[in-house]
Each structure stands twice: as C-alpha cells, then as structure tokens.
Amino acid sequence: MSAAPRDPADRTPTSNPVLRRALLWGGVLAAAIAIVGGVLGFAFAGVEGLVSALLGTLIAVVFMGITGASILLANRFAGSDVFVGAFFGIVLGGWLLKFILFIVLVVALRGADWLDPVVLFLSIVAGVIGSLVVDVLVVAKSRLPYASDTRLPPPPTHE
C-alpha cells in the first residue's frame, strides 16, 4: 500500500504530520503525568506537592510545545525565498524564548514556600524524559521517506 502522490504545488514539508503527532501525544503524556504526579505529590507533600507536580508538568509541556510549535510555524515559509532564514530565525527565537523563560522561572520560583522543590523537580524530569520518549516513538513509527521533499527530474522521453 503506497501513499497518495503529493500535489507538486504543495510545498508543505512532510515533517508537519510527525510534529503534530508528537505534540498530540506529548499532551496526552502531560495529562497522565499531571494526574499521577498530582496524586503522588499530594500523598507525599500535601497541597504543596500537588501544586508543584502540576506546575512542573506545565513547565515541561510549555517547553516541549514551544519547540514543536516553532518548527510548525517556521514550516509555513516553505517554498518561499526566505525559508531558510525564517526557519532558523523562528526556531532559534523559540530556543531563546525557552532559555529566558527558564531563567525567569528559576529566579521567580526560588524559595517559594508554596512549592515542594523535590516534587517540582521530579515532575519536570518526568515531563522531559517522557517528551523525549514520545518524540523517539513518533519518529520511529512514522513512515517518512529519506528524501521526502525533493523533486525528481522528469523521465526521459524517447523520440
């Protein structure tokens, strides 16, 4: 069974469905981590543990989402003359945003009495490792050709 041929005028990169699937499954994983982390955080550290688990999961999801969303946004420029510059500018901007956001969060949350630092740390680690596992599984199970966005020259004509 083969995939339907792509319209030659369609310049959308074939990686977009893979990125969307990774974001979808990352969201499902985040919901699971929030539920399990929230229950365990509440059981071991009370309300502070619950809040810490939910905040840690939210941080992991936002950071994962910024990467996928920035690549999907940058792919909208595919086929234009500014694609390479726009792609790297948008993706690098996303990474810069994550770096700045991380520094702001570390400074803002340092010493917060309403957080349990161990539960926060463990939920962030679970979110990061989980998103990496999701990315690996989605990419490994995707059926993406090695040369997905190339155009072959027309076949020779025998005249």
Side-chain angles (χ1 to χ4, degrees):
M1 178 150 80
S2 64
R6 288 177 38 129
D7 178 18
D10 183 15
R11 305 290 278 170
T12 305
T14 54
S15 61
N16 281 1
V18 176
L19 290 166
R20 285 190 189 103
R21 201 172 314 117
L23 286 173
L24 172 73
W25 284 109
V28 170
L29 174 77
I33 291 173
I35 292 168
V36 172
V39 168
L40 292 175
F42 185 75
F44 289 110
V47 175
E48 291 86 11
L50 172 66
V51 171
S52 300
L54 295 177
L55 184 62
T57 304
L58 178 68
I59 290 170
V61 167
V62 167
F63 278 51
M64 176 195 65
I66 289 173
T67 301
S70 68
I71 294 172
L72 284 171
L73 175 67
N75 279 344
R76 291 180 180 254
F77 291 95
S80 71
D81 293 337
V82 296
F83 174 62
V84 174
F87 183 87
F88 287 110
I90 291 170
V91 173
L92 180 60
W95 290 341
L96 214 59
L97 174 67
K98 288 195 312 187
F99 178 71
I100 292 168
L101 187 61
F102 178 77
I103 298 298
V104 168
L105 286 172
V106 166
V107 170
L109 297 177
R110 182 179 36 160
D113 295 336
W114 49 275
L115 288 176
D116 184 279
V118 174
V119 175
L120 179 69
F121 173 76
L122 291 175
S123 62
I124 290 173
V125 168
V128 168
I129 291 173
S131 69
L132 291 173
V133 169
V134 164
D135 290 346
V136 166
L137 291 175
V138 166
V139 170
K141 292 182 182 273
S142 67
R143 296 186 51 113
L144 194 62
Y146 293 112
S148 60
D149 296 327
T150 60
R151 275 199 220 150
L152 297 175
T157 58
H158 300 292
E159 293 180 28

